[in-house]
Amino acid sequence: LPQVFGDKTELLIDREAEKHTLLRLNAVGFGAPVVGLFGNGRIEAFLPCKTLTPEEMAHPGFVPHIAARLPWGMARGQEDGTRAVGRAWIQLDTRWRLPGLWCKAPSLVDFAAMRAELAQLKELCDRVASPRVFCHNDLLSGNILVIAPPPRPTFIDFEYSCAGPRGFDLGNHFNEYAGFDCDYTRFPTLEQQAAFFRHYLKPGELQALATAARARRPAELGAAAPQAAAEAAALEALAAEACIYALASHAYWGVWSFIQARYSPIDFDYLDYSALRWAEYHRRKAEFVALVDKNFPA
């Protein structure tokens, strides 16, 4: 299947880095095999498969398989050698002076306020100290293929993939539960996230996270506290990490939409989509910040 790059997509995606990432991921069993390269695209092998719907992606029957298959868990050890495909989300403010954008939205965007918001968000993300791993960064349902029963998912479209904070990959994936109609009431609950994390973590990692949770919250989780309580706190802390980065995900795609509004030939209201992402950011902000404050005291 030919994949042809869109006009101006190099503003968002390092295509040379993407090529190297895809070839390395092919070698460990991820993605559609690349069978040919040309100047503004590539040819990928056809995979006989089913694409998941947003509802299926969040279904308990698929969640364990997706969680266990996430790239950072399968390709650990490669993250240091993987070139970043895009700049970090906190650096997007350097691209905000886009010629022609203002004629489309002269009074809709307060960039100074967004810069201040991102600075505050960065402090919160720094506090949770999310490990640097290999991230897909765009794991929506359309990028998850099921090859054959029993469910064996594989992922495609690694154009935004890079080494980055684990929390972003988690939070961005959970945001995608909203589906194409952007119903963010589908964002997973803490209980649903905990179920996801139990399949996501490798053997022994939950115990290590529980030990770290005891150290952060000694009054509640001291030596006398049962191990089950410490593990529950560890899962909640991982949810706090995912949730604060879910805000980062909204910010990232909100700013991404400004660039698309300027250059994309697709007939889509990117400015309206950006407003929607920022609205959800602000709707969940207080709740997610409170979760960070509880699990990662300043």
Side-chain angles (χ1 to χ4, degrees):
L1 295 175
Q3 304 287 332
V4 180
F5 304 147
D7 185 38
K8 301 294 186 183
T9 55
E10 70 278 1
L11 292 172
L12 293 162
I13 300 163
D14 183 337
R15 294 299 184 183
E16 186 65 17
E18 179 193 13
K19 178 183 73 174
H20 290 291
T21 297
L22 281 173
L23 294 176
R24 295 188 67 182
L25 288 170
N26 280 176
V28 293
F30 279 95
V34 177
V35 298
L37 300 166
F38 53 92
N40 66 329
R42 62 180 175 270
I43 300 173
E44 298 178 354
F46 174 76
L47 296 176
C49 60
K50 167 185 167 51
T51 301
L52 293 186
T53 66
E55 292 77 16
E56 288 172 329
M57 183 177 74
H59 191 277
F62 283 106
V63 164
H65 302 282
I66 295 168
R69 185 69 167 154
L70 268 181
W72 80 271
M74 297 298 292
R76 191 177 307 189
Q78 295 190 24
E79 52 264 29
D80 290 340
T82 304
R83 293 176 56 197
V85 175
R87 294 187 179 94
W89 59 269
I90 57 169
Q91 295 176 320
L92 279 170
D93 62 340
T94 63
R95 304 182 185 178
W96 286 357
R97 295 182 180 180
L98 303 175
L101 176 60
W102 300 110
C103 66
K104 291 187 177 183
S107 61
L108 295 179
V109 183
D110 185 343
F111 285 100
M114 285 186 182
R115 288 191 182 95
E117 192 68 46
L118 280 183
Q120 182 186 45
L121 181 59
K122 181 180 183 300
E123 292 180 2
L124 290 162
C125 289
D126 287 345
R127 196 196 304 176
V128 304
S130 185
R132 183 177 173 83
V133 300
F134 181 77
C135 300
H136 184 285
N137 290 327
D138 193 22
L139 200 59
L140 46 80
S141 62
N143 286 338
I144 303 175
L145 310 180
V146 175
I147 303 297
R152 185 170 64 88
T154 190
F155 306 141
I156 59 171
D157 287 356
F158 289 88
E159 57 190 2
Y160 291 100
S161 300
C162 65
R166 173 183 67 186
F168 187 95
D169 219 20
L170 293 170
N172 186 77
H173 177 62
F174 292 156
N175 279 341
E176 294 298 345
Y177 280 31
F180 303 111
D181 51 357
C182 297
D183 181 1
Y184 289 109
T185 62
R186 298 175 185 168
F187 191 88
T189 64
L190 294 182
E191 292 75 16
Q192 290 171 321
Q193 290 185 54
F196 183 101
F197 297 144
R198 287 187 181 276
H199 295 280
Y200 174 81
L201 295 169
K202 286 187 172 293
E205 287 185 319
L206 180 55
Q207 291 74 19
L209 292 175
T211 299
R214 288 182 188 275
R216 287 193 304 271
R217 298 164 60 182
E220 305 166 62
L221 302 170
Q227 179 66 11
E231 290 184 4
L235 292 171
E236 187 180 80
L238 193 51
E241 178 186 331
C243 286
I244 201 64
Y245 272 101
L247 298 184
S249 164
H250 285 308
Y252 181 96
W253 296 111
V255 175
W256 171 90
S257 296
F258 297 143
I259 299 173
Q260 295 287 34
R262 172 63 182 88
Y263 292 110
S264 177
I266 298 173
D267 184 15
F268 180 78
D269 193 338
Y270 285 104
L271 294 179
D272 183 67
Y273 180 69
S274 178
L276 186 152
R277 296 302 297 253
W278 280 104
E280 182 62 13
Y281 173 104
H282 288 291
R283 188 179 78 86
R284 301 302 293 265
K285 178 184 175 182
E287 174 189 354
F288 291 169
V289 170
L291 196 59
V292 171
D293 286 340
K294 176 184 176 183
N295 287 278
F296 298 91

